[in-house]
Each structure stands twice: as C-alpha cells, then as structure tokens.
Amino acid sequence: MACLTSAIEPLRAANEIMGRTEFVWRLVAESHAPVRSSAEVRFEPDVTLAEADGLDQLYLLAPPTAEFADPRHSPARLRWLERTGLTLGAFSGGIFPLARAGLMEGRGCSVHWCYEAAFKAEFPDVKASEAVILRDKRRVTASGAGAVFDLMLRLIEERLGRQCMTEVACWFQHPFVRDEDASQKVPVARTAATADRLTPPIREAIRLFESHVEDPLRIPDVAAAVEMSGRHFERLFKRETGQSPLRYYRHLRLSKARQRVLYSNDPLREIAVSVGYPTPAPMARHYQELFGVSPKDERRLASGLSQLSSAAE
C-alpha cells in the first residue's frame, strides 16, 4: 500500500501543479474482485489484466510469495503486453511474480535487502542489484516505497522539467532525490545504525561476511583481511555494532536463512547448507535462540496466515 500511494501521489500533485492532466493511472488486477492490501485496506480494480490496453507502463505490486490466480493466462498476458512495447516494472516484492512470468531474463533488477537471499535462491540467473531504482531495457524496478517516490519524481522531471519535480518534492517535504544508482540503506543487525555509517574497515568486514554466507570465514582471517589484529578488530567491531563479529556473522547468516524460510518452499536441509550449516539441526537451534521460533514452526505459521488471508478475501 505504501508503494501504491508513493506512486500515485506525486503524479496527482504534478497534475495539480500544472493545472492539467499529465498523468493518468489505473489499478489493474486479474479479476474485478476487490484487492486487499497488507494494511487491510481494499481497493477496487479499474480494469482486469485481460482488459488492460493503451498503457505506457505497468507495475506489479505483491508480496514475494504471491502467485497468479490464473497461472496459465496472466503471465502469458504480461508477456504479450511486453511484446507490444509496454514498459514493465515491479515495486518491492512485486519483482517475484514478474520474474516468475519469465520477464526478467537478461535484465537486472532492484531487490529489497530483506528479500535478497530468497530472490537470489529462486532466480540465480537474474542480476539482483542493491540500487534503490534500476531501469534496464524497458524494465523498471524499485526496492521500496521511498524508492518508488523517487522514481515518480524522475518521471515527472523527464516529462515536465526539474522545476515541477522540485515543487512536487517540496509539497511532500521529501528530503532529497536520490540518484538512481544510490544503494539501499541497510540496517546493521540488532543496532540503530545503517551500514553506510560504519568506519571503512568494519564496512569491509561486513562486505566479506555478506560474500561468504555459504562458506563462512574465520574471524581471525577477516581481521587480517582488514589489516587489524584480532583483538583490535573485535574491540572496534563491538564498539560500532554493539556485538561481537562472531555474533553478527551468525545473525547475518540466520537472517538470510529466514528469508528463504518465509519466502520459499526450499527444504530446510538446502537452506541450512546455503548459510554455512552442514545439517539443519544446528541451524534450527541457533534460529530458535535468535528468533524465538523454530524455522519449521515459523514457516508453518506464515503459511497458515497466508491461507487465512486468501480465504478472507
């Protein structure tokens, strides 16, 4: 819902500022039935996907686990619309159904950091980027609601000029307009900081942790890689993040495991190996300690809530 309003409101403001209709939008769904957002607000679609015509751009909004109600015709309809020259895109979790429709082959996309592990596991051949916005060959993806707002400001600037774009941003007190290649803000696990605020050696250590999830590094080797003694590295890392490198590293790996637990049907054994555990048992024990629930129970709970939501709709 935040992505939807972040897309519509800047365009509405631009129309009002210009005193004429420069942008028009429609809500498209697979059927005419109301669509309920994760915020429990319902929206009435303007047209169905089968009826959609005369569009310049079409964006998918969905959770990562979303499936097409009509898995045969809806992806085929998207592919047909793409062949007519339509620009296709996705906001946040909407990149998952767009990729499942086979429309991201040979293209890069922006993937929100909290879905990154699940996306890479399901779509290893699609280049996932940390950029907040990525436009690539008639594919436009934005990682979250703030990124969507920035994207709309870019579209307004391209069509109506920088003066109008600036006024729209000021209407909403939008603090700044990020460059499209700006990286996402990513929280440092269990702290109030973001990764970009850390000192260069600690940022580099975290980058090494991120790039060695399946094959964990030894902490002394990471300290050596950032040219520090083991003791100094431990002390500086804890001062900046509030936790030891070992605890941080484990949390990072388990957080990536959790993405796949929640947003995929991959076997727990496969997930455990992907985050550096030889078997599921030690991963499950650490997972329970960190998140207060076992991976099996969390997946069952998430699945039950999803089914409940579908039944309510």
Side-chain angles (χ1 to χ4, degrees):
M1 183 168 161
C3 288
L4 177 63
T5 55
S6 291
I8 291 174
E9 282 298 292
L11 304 183
R12 177 194 64 79
N15 285 347
E16 195 165 335
I17 288 167
M18 298 301 292
R20 60 182 184 269
T21 301
E22 291 284 349
F23 297 99
V24 177
W25 50 89
R26 297 285 181 267
L27 295 182
V28 182
E30 288 186 86
S31 73
H32 284 291
V35 177
R36 185 175 61 183
S37 74
S38 57
E40 304 299 330
V41 176
R42 291 176 182 267
F43 295 91
E44 296 284 343
D46 295 307
V47 295
T48 66
L49 183 59
E51 299 165 344
D53 196 16
L55 304 175
D56 297 313
Q57 302 182 23
L58 178 64
Y59 294 96
L60 274 62
L61 292 86
T65 53
E67 297 179 357
F68 290 103
D70 186 344
R72 180 182 176 187
H73 294 102
S74 293
R77 175 64 174 171
L78 286 174
R79 291 191 292 270
W80 183 87
L81 287 169
E82 195 277 338
R83 289 194 295 272
T84 68
L86 183 71
T87 293
L88 290 172
F91 301 153
S92 193
I95 187 58
F96 283 79
L98 188 63
R100 288 179 189 130
L103 286 158
M104 290 307 302
E105 295 176 5
R107 295 171 172 86
C109 59
S110 170
V111 177
H112 195 288
W113 60 266
C114 72
Y115 302 143
E116 170 257 346
F119 185 85
K120 287 182 176 178
E122 186 173 352
F123 307 105
D125 297 328
V126 178
K127 185 179 179 182
S129 171
E130 295 180 356
V132 292
I133 299 167
L134 191 61
R135 295 199 269 189
D136 186 359
K137 302 174 186 173
R138 288 194 294 113
R139 296 294 181 276
V140 183
T141 49
S143 56
V148 173
F149 201 104
D150 285 338
L151 172 62
M152 295 302 120
L153 290 177
R154 291 295 179 198
L155 298 182
I156 291 167
E157 180 180 16
E158 289 164 7
R159 180 165 184 148
L160 301 175
R162 190 165 188 81
Q163 182 178 338
C164 181
M165 181 272 283
T166 301
E167 188 168 347
V168 170
C170 291
W171 267 36
F172 296 96
Q173 290 298 294
H174 194 62
F176 58 90
V177 182
R178 289 172 289 189
D179 294 333
E180 290 191 15
D181 59 355
S183 294
Q184 298 176 42
K185 290 278 189 178
V186 180
V188 177
R190 316 208 101 177
T191 76
T194 56
D196 59 313
R197 302 300 297 272
L198 302 174
T199 58
I202 301 305
R203 283 206 308 271
E204 174 61 14
I206 289 175
R207 187 196 68 77
L208 289 170
F209 290 158
E210 288 270 5
S211 61
H212 289 82
V213 171
E214 186 171 348
D215 53 336
L217 299 168
R218 295 172 61 251
I219 299 302
D221 293 338
V222 177
V226 297
E227 301 180 343
M228 287 186 183
S229 68
R231 178 176 293 184
H232 182 48
F233 176 63
E234 291 262 355
R235 189 164 51 242
L236 182 61
F237 197 98
K238 190 164 187 177
R239 189 179 73 196
E240 295 207 19
T241 69
Q243 55 198 309
S244 70
L246 183 61
R247 182 177 292 275
Y248 180 93
Y249 201 2
R250 180 180 293 173
H251 185 136
L252 170 69
R253 290 159 53 211
L254 290 171
S255 294
K256 291 186 181 297
R258 194 181 200 187
Q259 290 184 26
R260 294 183 64 179
V261 167
L262 293 173
Y263 307 129
S264 79
N265 295 316
D266 298 335
L268 293 183
R269 179 174 295 278
E270 180 182 318
I271 294 174
V273 170
S274 76
V275 294
Y277 287 90
T279 63
M283 183 195 78
R285 184 174 67 255
H286 291 154
Y287 194 105
Q288 174 94 37
E289 291 171 357
L290 182 60
F291 301 121
V293 63
S294 72
K296 187 178 294 185
D297 287 345
E298 185 157 50
R299 174 173 277 180
R300 187 183 300 119
L301 178 62
S303 176
L305 289 173
S306 176
Q307 291 172 10
L308 218 77
S309 174
S310 298
E313 288 187 18

